Amino acid sequence: MESVIMTKAQARRIILHAAGLATREQFGTGIEAVYQLIDHLGFVQLDTNYVVERAHHHVMAARVPDYEPEWLEELSAEGRIFEYFTSDAGYIPMHDFRFSLPVKQAFAKQRKPMTKEELNLMKHVLDRIEREGQLMVGDFDDDRVEASSGWWDWRPAKVALERLYLDGELVISRTKGFKKVYDLPMNLIPEDTDLSVPAAEEYARYVIRRTLGALGIAAVKEIAWRARHVKGNLVKKELEQMVAEGLVNTVVVEGLKAAPLYMLSDQKREIVLSGDAFILSPFDILNVFRHRLRDFFDFDYQIECFVPAAKRKYGYFSLPILIGDVFVARMDAKADRKQKVLIVHNLHFEEVILNKEMTDKLADALKSFILFNQCRDIIFKKSNREDELKAISQHF
């Protein structure tokens, strides 16, 4: 089968449509739009960073204008979505539950052998939840022998809970304060859920369809990322087979030197972008792979909260800002929820000329972002373009 040949501009439109960013209301409005978005992407990464509203809520609010954070909790309580791992922790449609089973098996199989004490503690923790119902880490005594040595130095009971969760013996829900609540699967997973373990080939094809559905166009390394915890997965082999069967097309993007690219054969190709402005999370599906932003959008982006302070160029938690198919700026912001002020430490504009329509759309996106972060006002501290900052500021 011949490769599909396209320009970078065509590729960007496909990628943005797959990410749910072709237009502001690509999935509609209301809680049903949130479910449709999760079901389309197959996985929405969550993150605990609370400098601005958490990443999973941010992803939703960027695409569903009337988004309410409680809706994720409602969808979880209704048994329509659940939290678990693909490449990272996130929300997954419940009808995909059986495809989490190979990941659970992998976590259990690939873990180093546990001591008798560790196994006994896991049994004790599981027994307590079976007897008492859902529990949190705080419901267990502090069983740490030595003082904590840092953020990730979990006490033994927390480790046991997490192992049971990763192995599938427990499932989790969240409190309004985003703390984990551990429970038995039978209490959260609907009775009619398919619990059959997919064969390796079926699992690989699921990963391929889901990832290409969300990325639009991708290389095998990016496709296999969702299966990274399942060692020896068959993603590469099944991808080649799906190409041979005509289910996946190879793609050539003019002027782009990259690893071989692929897209689903039924991928929509004729796409019109609305030109809306989107303030995006660093953990948004569009921003997960830094090289893709460089290759397709000529945008060199890196989340700098993991970079030493002295080496940061744009700020601790810089948010990419997209208008149409162009990244026009990045904004390092922090929500002061007590004062109800969104503090923009740095609004750095790229080498792009913004016309009045683009400026107006960016201002509207900022107004929505202020409210989304439970704030009323905005303060701009710094920008590399005083003219653009002045034009934006006039809207507030």
Side-chain angles (χ1 to χ4, degrees):
M1 180 177 290
E2 292 186 3
S3 295
V4 176
I5 301 174
M6 65 181 69
T7 64
K8 266 193 185 183
Q10 289 172 316
R12 284 196 296 272
R13 289 195 290 272
I14 289 172
I15 290 168
L16 290 171
H17 182 267
L21 295 168
T23 181
R24 184 83 167 86
E25 298 182 19
Q26 190 170 321
F27 295 91
T29 58
I31 191 170
E32 193 58 32
V34 173
Y35 176 74
Q36 293 299 330
L37 171 59
I38 297 171
D39 192 32
H40 168 75
L41 296 177
F43 166 74
V44 174
Q45 184 174 341
L46 61 80
D47 190 74
T48 57
N49 194 308
Y50 200 42
V51 176
V52 292
E53 185 55 85
R54 292 185 176 97
H56 41 289
H57 293 309
H58 191 163
V59 167
M60 306 300 168
R63 294 161 171 83
V64 181
D66 59 343
Y67 176 73
E68 297 289 342
E70 307 87 66
W71 290 348
L72 279 182
E73 187 180 335
E74 287 181 32
L75 289 171
S76 296
E78 292 169 3
R80 301 182 71 189
I81 63 173
F82 70 102
E83 181 182 331
Y84 195 64
F85 281 78
T86 58
S87 54
D88 300 274
Y91 292 101
I92 304 169
M94 186 62 76
H95 61 74
D96 283 356
F97 186 84
R98 63 188 293 257
F99 293 103
S100 71
L101 301 178
V103 186
K104 291 166 181 170
Q105 291 178 341
F107 276 125
K109 181 181 178 182
Q110 291 158 192
R111 182 183 298 127
K112 66 180 182 180
M114 288 182 286
T115 65
K116 183 178 180 181
E117 289 76 11
E118 289 173 321
L119 291 169
N120 286 340
L121 179 57
M122 288 174 68
K123 184 178 185 304
H124 168 71
V125 166
L126 191 57
D127 286 346
R128 271 198 63 184
I129 292 177
E130 287 174 346
R131 291 195 315 270
E132 301 174 34
Q134 57 182 224
L135 294 173
M136 300 168 61
V137 174
D139 294 315
F140 293 85
D141 293 334
D142 189 346
D143 52 359
R144 192 192 308 277
V145 177
E146 299 175 356
S148 174
S149 62
W151 181 257
W152 294 107
D153 182 17
W154 289 346
R155 56 200 233 203
K158 166 71 171 176
V159 173
L161 284 163
E162 284 296 300
R163 283 172 174 165
L164 289 164
Y165 160 58
L166 292 177
D167 293 357
E169 297 287 342
L170 295 176
V171 292
I172 60 171
S173 57
R174 297 273 180 173
T175 67
K176 293 189 183 301
F178 201 58
K179 292 185 177 180
K180 288 181 178 179
V181 180
Y182 298 84
D183 205 344
L184 300 176
M186 61 182 290
N187 294 331
L188 292 182
I189 307 302
E191 288 184 13
D192 60 352
T193 303
D194 188 348
L195 300 178
S196 60
V197 180
E201 292 80 5
E202 186 185 6
Y203 172 71
R205 290 191 175 221
Y206 158 80
V207 169
I208 293 164
R209 286 193 302 271
R210 274 307 200 183
T211 311
L212 283 178
L215 294 180
I217 299 169
V220 65
K221 186 175 181 180
E222 297 139 25
I223 297 169
W225 182 247
R226 283 202 190 188
R228 70 188 178 108
H229 295 296
V230 181
K231 307 303 181 187
N233 66 72
L234 303 181
V235 168
K236 186 174 181 180
K237 177 183 175 183
E238 289 303 312
L239 181 62
E240 293 171 354
Q241 186 60 34
M242 290 176 76
V243 170
E245 294 171 13
L247 300 172
V248 171
N249 291 126
T250 54
V251 178
V252 173
V253 178
E254 295 173 353
L256 180 63
K257 294 181 179 178
L261 297 169
Y262 302 87
M263 74 176 185
L264 295 173
S265 57
D266 60 358
Q267 168 67 52
K268 182 179 178 181
R269 301 182 199 176
E270 299 303 318
I271 294 159
V272 177
L273 302 180
S274 66
D276 290 334
F278 295 94
I279 299 171
L280 299 176
S281 166
F283 300 103
D284 195 286
I285 185 68
L286 188 64
N287 302 323
V288 170
F289 299 104
R290 185 179 178 187
H291 62 275
R292 278 168 57 86
L293 295 178
R294 287 196 302 262
D295 289 348
F296 293 105
F297 296 89
D298 299 317
F299 182 57
D300 189 4
Y301 173 74
Q302 180 182 19
I303 179 172
E304 295 185 338
C305 59
F306 303 119
V307 174
K311 294 185 178 181
R312 291 176 193 146
K313 294 175 62 177
Y314 305 106
Y316 175 80
F317 205 66
S318 183
L319 311 173
I321 300 178
L322 178 80
I323 300 181
D325 67 346
V326 178
F327 283 94
V328 300
R330 58 191 94 199
M331 178 177 73
D332 181 37
K334 175 180 174 61
D336 184 335
R337 297 172 182 88
K338 287 186 178 179
Q339 300 299 320
K340 296 192 178 298
V341 175
L342 183 72
I343 302 168
V344 178
H345 294 294
N346 185 16
L347 181 57
H348 179 93
F349 291 92
E350 305 302 305
E351 294 182 5
V352 177
I353 303 300
L354 273 66
N355 58 35
K356 185 179 184 305
E357 182 183 8
M358 295 169 77
T359 300
D360 291 347
K361 287 186 174 183
L362 176 51
D364 287 343
L366 279 167
K367 289 175 182 177
S368 296
F369 196 68
I370 292 168
L371 295 176
F372 167 59
N373 279 280
Q374 304 152 48
C375 295
R376 297 195 190 110
D377 298 310
I378 187 169
I379 295 174
F380 296 100
K381 297 274 193 176
K382 173 186 172 185
S383 177
N384 64 325
R385 297 260 293 275
E386 291 300 324
D387 57 333
E388 296 292 359
L389 183 59
K390 183 178 180 180
I392 293 291
S393 299
Q394 290 174 351
H395 289 262
F396 297 93

